[in-house]
């Protein structure tokens, strides 16, 4: 009797070595590579590391070259925005709509004008002489 010892069951056990299934997803935390945001020069106001006392901050918007820069700023309630007029032609800051009624500067050739925002919301404004010049202040 031939001993049929050839019970070779080649189980092709290709154990899928769990390779390369780890998606390295935990890298870039704060590095948006798309340089799409133009309005973030100093949109963030002061450091929030003032324990206890609520300190108001100041943000400056440059009015030059026929535009407000940055055109959009974000501040907190109680913060002050100062518009700094430096252009060769006069400009002003005039709020758009009821909410922004209080924003109404004289016409400046040179100088600064400030406004303190006391209620949250989004405030849009323009230059009364050049209505294409637009800006907004978001108060959080
Ligand atoms: Cu203007």
């Amino acid at each position: 009797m031939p001993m049929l010892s050839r019970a070779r069951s080649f189980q092709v056990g290709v154990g899928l070595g769990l390779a390369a299934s780890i998606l390295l997803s935990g890298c870039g935390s704060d590095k948006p590579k798309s340089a799409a945001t133009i309005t973030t020069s100093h949109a963030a106001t002061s450091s929030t590391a003032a324990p206890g006392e609520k300190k108001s901050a100041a943000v400056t918007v440059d009015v030059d070259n026929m535009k407000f820069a940055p055109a959009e700023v974000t501040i907190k309630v109680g913060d002050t925005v100062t518009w700094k007029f430096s252009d060769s032609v006069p400009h002003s800051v005039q709020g758009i709509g009821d909410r922004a009624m209080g924003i109404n500067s004289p016409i400046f050739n040179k100088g600064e004008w400030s406004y303190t925002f006391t209620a949250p919301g989004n405030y849009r404004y323009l230059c009364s002489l050049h209505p294409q010049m637009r800006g907004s202040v978001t108060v959080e």
Side-chain angles (χ1 to χ4, degrees):
M1 290 299 190
M3 302 284 281
L4 228 162
S5 66
R6 303 171 55 199
R8 35 184 291 198
S9 60
F10 271 95
Q11 295 186 350
V12 190
V14 184
L16 299 170
L18 302 165
S21 67
I22 303 167
L23 296 171
L24 299 172
S25 63
C27 46
S29 60
D30 248 344
K31 291 182 179 178
K33 280 193 173 181
S34 62
T37 52
I38 319 168
T39 61
T40 57
S41 32
H42 47 255
T45 55
S46 64
S47 61
T48 56
E53 191 172 348
K54 186 177 181 182
K55 196 172 183 180
S56 61
V59 175
T60 300
V61 175
D62 289 313
V63 188
D64 200 0
N65 298 316
M66 297 297 291
K67 60 178 171 25
F68 299 106
E72 297 174 16
V73 296
T74 300
I75 61 173
K76 293 190 164 34
V77 171
D79 288 352
T80 298
V81 176
T82 297
W83 285 268
K84 188 175 174 186
F85 299 85
S86 310
D87 210 348
S88 53
V89 293
H91 299 292
S92 74
V93 176
Q94 181 175 314
I96 301 171
D98 290 346
R99 178 193 291 278
M101 253 179 56
I103 306 171
N104 197 0
S105 83
I107 293 171
F108 282 91
N109 284 297
K110 307 285 179 191
E112 293 183 3
W113 185 77
S114 296
Y115 186 83
T116 300
F117 292 81
T118 55
N122 179 258
Y123 301 82
R124 295 184 303 128
Y125 63 88
L126 49 70
C127 168
S128 62
L129 301 178
H130 314 98
Q132 76 274 17
M133 291 173 61
R134 300 288 179 111
S136 75
V137 177
T138 300
V139 184
E140 294 178 331

